[in-house]
Amino acid sequence: MYHVSEEMPNAKRDGPTAANWTIILSGVSSWIIVVALLFGVRDIERVLGTSYGLGFAQIVLDATGSKAATTILLLILLIIFSNAPRANCIGVSRILLAFGRDEMIPFADWFTVVKLGEPIWGIVLSVVVALVVGLVQFGPAAAFNSLLGGSTIFSFVSYSESSPCSRTCICSPQQSPACACCSAGGRG
């Protein structure tokens, strides 16, 4: 969201608004999905002890009563989720490009290299980080669950910190250096 906010006519106001609405709509739609799934649970022990490895698959199978319908619904989710990593990778690489262009990260020159219309080193870094984080799955389940929980919390904290900051602190040449938002990058 923020990596394309500079293309908005009023980015300082519209970027945080769009991010906040994204968080609100995601939360509401997630709540609706969770409530619908909970209504589909008939036997909690069967869901927790499923042989499929996915509690969601057992819930869908119990709700539909058909392995074919369950397979089709899971394939739809697989297709949707298979495109998400590519979108995340491109989004992260463009954010790194913007930070590199503004010289807000180390090795800024690397992250501003663009080939075939994409920031190459940003893509490489995001893929390497994703692969390293994915290695945690080979360790204890508690470590993997902690990593997932921490990433969710830090993701929401990063959104909730940057949105109010950019809405309340508009940097200008006359701005006091005491403003934490402006002292980070000086751009506002």
Side-chain angles (χ1 to χ4, degrees), residues 2 5 8 10-24 158-171 175 179-182 187-188:
Y2 283 118
S5 67
M8 295 178 180
N10 188 4
K12 288 183 191 244
R13 194 60 73 186
D14 295 340
T17 302
N20 289 334
W21 276 109
T22 301
I23 293 169
I24 291 167
S158 69
Y159 276 119
S160 63
E161 180 181 318
S162 61
S163 294
C165 187
S166 61
R167 280 178 137 328
T168 58
C169 180
I170 298 172
C171 298
Q175 182 75 37
C179 180
C181 309
C182 300
R187 303 241 189 270

Side-chain angles (χ1 to χ4, degrees), residues 134-173:
L135 291 175
V136 176
Q137 292 184 22
F138 295 114
F144 179 65
N145 290 334
S146 296
L147 182 66
L148 286 180
S151 66
T152 303
I153 291 168
F154 288 125
S155 174
F156 279 114
V157 166
S158 69
Y159 276 119
S160 63
E161 180 181 318
S162 61
S163 294
C165 187
S166 61
R167 280 178 137 328
T168 58
C169 180
I170 298 172
C171 298
S172 66

Side-chain angles (χ1 to χ4, degrees), residues 19-71:
N20 289 334
W21 276 109
T22 301
I23 293 169
I24 291 167
L25 292 176
S26 296
V28 169
S29 61
S30 297
W31 184 80
I32 292 170
I33 290 170
V34 167
V35 169
L37 281 174
L38 290 176
F39 275 110
V41 175
R42 294 184 183 157
D43 183 12
I44 191 71
E45 294 301 323
R46 188 171 171 182
V47 172
L48 293 175
T50 183
S51 61
Y52 297 114
L54 293 172
F56 175 74
Q58 186 64 49
I59 294 171
V60 173
L61 180 62
D62 290 346
T64 62
S66 167
K67 286 189 177 183
T70 301
T71 303

Side-chain angles (χ1 to χ4, degrees), residues 99-117:
F99 282 160
R101 184 188 59 226
D102 295 341
E103 296 180 2
M104 295 178 64
I105 54 174
F107 309 108
D109 294 337
W110 282 22
F111 294 111
T112 56
V113 175
V114 176
K115 294 187 180 182
L116 301 173

